[in-house]
Amino acid sequence: MPAIAEAPAYRGTHWRNGRLLPLAAALLCLPTLIPLGATAWSWTAVDVDLIGHLLRHVLPNATGNTLALMVGVLAGVLLLGVSTSALVALTEFPGRRPFALLLLLPLALPGYVLAIAFLGIFEGAGSVWAETLRISGFRGLAGLVFVLSAALYPYVFLIAREAFATTGLRAIEAARSLGLTPMRAFWRVALPLALPWIGAGASLALMEVLADFGTVAAFNYDTLSVAIYKAWYGLFSTTAALQIASVMLIFIVALLSLESLARRRMRFESVGVDTIRRLPLGRKARWAATAWCFLVFLACFALPVAWLAWRASGRLDLVDGRFIGWIRNSATLALAAAVIIVVLASLLASIAHALPTRLLRTTQRVATLGYAFPGALLAVGLYVPLSHFGSLAGGGMATALAGGGVALLLCGYGVRFLAVAHAPIASSTMRIPRSSLDSARLAGIPRRGILRLVYLPALRSSMAVGALLVFVDVMKEMPITLMMRPFGWDTLAIRIFEFTSEGQWQAAAVPAMVLVVVGVLPIWLLQRQTGRG
């Protein structure tokens, strides 16, 4: 985002006189603004009895649980993410290069898949392994914090590793030249410099905690996301769901403010890691670093995946025509969402690059805010106003919107994941020189031709990356799909939710393993782009 704001103004009248492109960019903001408008509108019709019920029986418990969970996960992701990123980026120890990739792999596991594995390991019955490792009381706040920390610490690891590798090594070298020991240089210089980056990673992890539905549902732990779902499907009140969502918006605004503050305080330096040696460790410290990284990898990825593979191998009878149908539904939705979202993200980034005005930068920012909105909020925030619109329109549109539909589902995915595809594509537009646009304009190439001849070749690889990331995210997505899918349209994520709701942990392991395999590919791609080896 900062790089987009610094783009020099393009002076070509060919683009500046256009009116349709800014209008098209503004239209892309509408789906993001609809849930916010619906949430505000819900307070125009206050039901005193309903508000009293929410204040007495729902909001105190759900808000307190959400806060407690966020505090616990914050501590967990900081412990795991900062310690491992500092070791990998700043020091040399056996296995450092492989751990740069292995410690990212938990990103491939949705939180609800980790929940299945750990609940099966610690509370499952009928196996020697489960009996040996049984821990009483795992299905509580502590267990939930452990599972979500294991799933989300890579956000901190990835961003903090970049900070330590770019600024930390040089800062420690300078501090050591002034007489500080390596450890004191880390605590007094490198860690404070990395705090904005760590804060940005932690805010992303907390947004995921706020958005999570499948993991907390598996633990029977009521948060604001679960309260929205229960208000809709338990109380049959979309107004109550929207009013609960308005409380969630307070958390979202706080986290977005934290993320924005952290990004403004980031400072970028030349890398130069080839000329600066990582810190040598003593013999015991080297093997202690290896042991800690291996323990984190074992607990957060290897052990749960091994359990899933073992349990899935015993239920291969599930792989029948219906199972193929779940895969087909998941892949169809993910593929359609990836194509649509990448096209929209490419248009948005190209328009903002060609016409870098303040209005378009704001439009771009608003259109990509949806990544911060939890799926439960998006589902109810889009469904209610669009179903009212369908009722006014009448006919087939009313039937389609009232019953949910693939189009409505794709709209929800678009709001939630537009930022995922937009980030790599917008970064690639900054590599397109203005002289190329000027040359194309002077040659008399029309606007569509410039998009085809200039932007498309330059953005091709980043569009592929964005499509892959969106594809995997949609394959794993649960709350929007659960609340907005057409009747009978089951996906792998939905079947995992339904199996776990019925206590069929072994059956849930089969679709979970498919999601794990699909999720590993973008992690490898991400490491290729960001890893420093």
Side-chain angles (χ1 to χ4, degrees), residues 304-329:
V305 170
W307 185 90
L308 288 172
W310 173 55
R311 300 302 282 175
S313 65
R315 287 304 308 269
L316 293 180
D317 57 297
L318 285 175
V319 183
D320 54 11
R322 288 193 310 158
F323 190 85
I324 300 300
W326 304 336
I327 296 178
R328 184 176 59 247
N329 289 344

Side-chain angles (χ1 to χ4, degrees), residues 30-62:
L30 282 182
T32 305
L33 297 176
I34 288 175
L36 298 178
T39 304
W41 184 259
S42 68
W43 289 99
T44 60
V46 176
D47 184 332
V48 176
D49 293 337
L50 178 61
I51 294 295
H53 174 79
L54 294 180
L55 290 177
R56 285 192 301 272
H57 303 295
V58 178
L59 288 177
N61 184 50

Side-chain angles (χ1 to χ4, degrees), residues 451-488:
L451 287 175
R452 181 171 56 85
L453 297 174
V454 178
Y455 281 100
L456 187 58
L459 302 182
R460 191 172 296 154
S461 60
S462 59
M463 289 171 69
V465 172
L468 180 60
L469 294 175
V470 172
F471 182 89
V472 175
D473 276 341
V474 173
M475 287 282 289
K476 297 187 295 185
E477 204 286 331
M478 180 182 287
I480 297 177
T481 313
L482 180 65
M483 299 169 80
M484 301 176 72
R485 76 190 193 281
F487 179 75

Side-chain angles (χ1 to χ4, degrees), residues 27-295:
L27 287 176
L28 292 177
C29 293
L30 282 182
T32 305
L33 297 176
I34 288 175
L36 298 178
T39 304
W41 184 259
S42 68
W43 289 99
T44 60
V46 176
D47 184 332
V48 176
D49 293 337
L50 178 61
I51 294 295
H53 174 79
L54 294 180
L55 290 177
R56 285 192 301 272
H57 303 295
V58 178
L59 288 177
N61 184 50
T63 307
N65 285 350
T66 302
L67 270 175
L69 184 60
M70 293 174 72
V71 171
V73 173
L74 176 63
V77 297
L78 289 180
L79 171 65
L80 298 176
V82 175
S83 61
T84 51
S85 62
L87 287 172
V88 169
L90 299 177
T91 65
E92 282 290 356
F93 60 90
R96 185 189 66 80
R97 284 176 179 271
F99 280 126
L101 170 63
L102 296 177
L103 290 171
L104 278 177
L105 288 181
L107 271 181
L109 298 175
Y112 55 85
V113 170
L114 269 180
I116 293 169
F118 282 115
L119 286 173
I121 291 171
F122 294 132
E123 294 193 348
S127 72
V128 175
W129 194 10
E131 294 297 330
T132 304
L133 297 176
R134 183 183 294 271
I135 296 177
S136 61
F138 184 77
R139 192 190 290 267
L141 177 61
L144 181 55
V145 166
F146 172 76
V147 169
L148 284 176
S149 299
L152 300 176
Y153 86 86
Y155 286 101
V156 176
F157 171 80
L158 185 64
I159 299 178
R161 187 185 68 177
E162 191 73 8
F164 287 130
T166 53
T167 62
L169 281 173
R170 288 189 178 280
I172 288 179
E173 186 186 57
R176 291 180 68 187
S177 69
L178 297 175
L180 293 182
T181 63
M183 186 59 73
R184 294 188 67 185
F186 172 76
W187 286 108
R188 297 183 61 177
V189 181
L191 185 59
L193 282 174
L195 283 180
W197 304 67
I198 295 171
S203 64
L204 291 175
L206 292 181
M207 286 180 196
E208 292 295 329
V209 174
L210 197 59
D212 183 83
F213 175 78
T215 315
V216 293
F219 275 76
N220 293 323
Y221 189 81
D222 288 341
T223 62
L224 289 170
S225 287
V226 176
I228 292 174
Y229 179 82
K230 288 183 175 178
W232 192 352
Y233 289 92
L235 297 176
F236 302 104
S237 172
T238 54
T239 301
L242 286 170
Q243 289 170 345
I244 296 171
S246 63
V247 178
M248 187 180 280
L249 279 177
I250 298 173
F251 288 89
I252 294 171
V253 170
L255 291 174
L256 284 175
S257 302
L258 173 64
E259 186 201 19
S260 177
L261 177 64
R263 290 188 184 279
R264 281 203 300 269
R265 295 183 61 186
M266 287 179 178
R267 296 291 182 268
F268 298 85
E269 304 289 344
S270 60
V271 178
V273 291
D274 291 336
T275 60
I276 302 177
R277 292 182 57 195
R278 291 183 175 82
L279 299 176
L281 298 175
R283 184 178 179 182
K284 291 183 179 178
R286 294 171 68 236
W287 288 109
T290 303
W292 173 243
C293 290
F294 178 74
L295 181 63

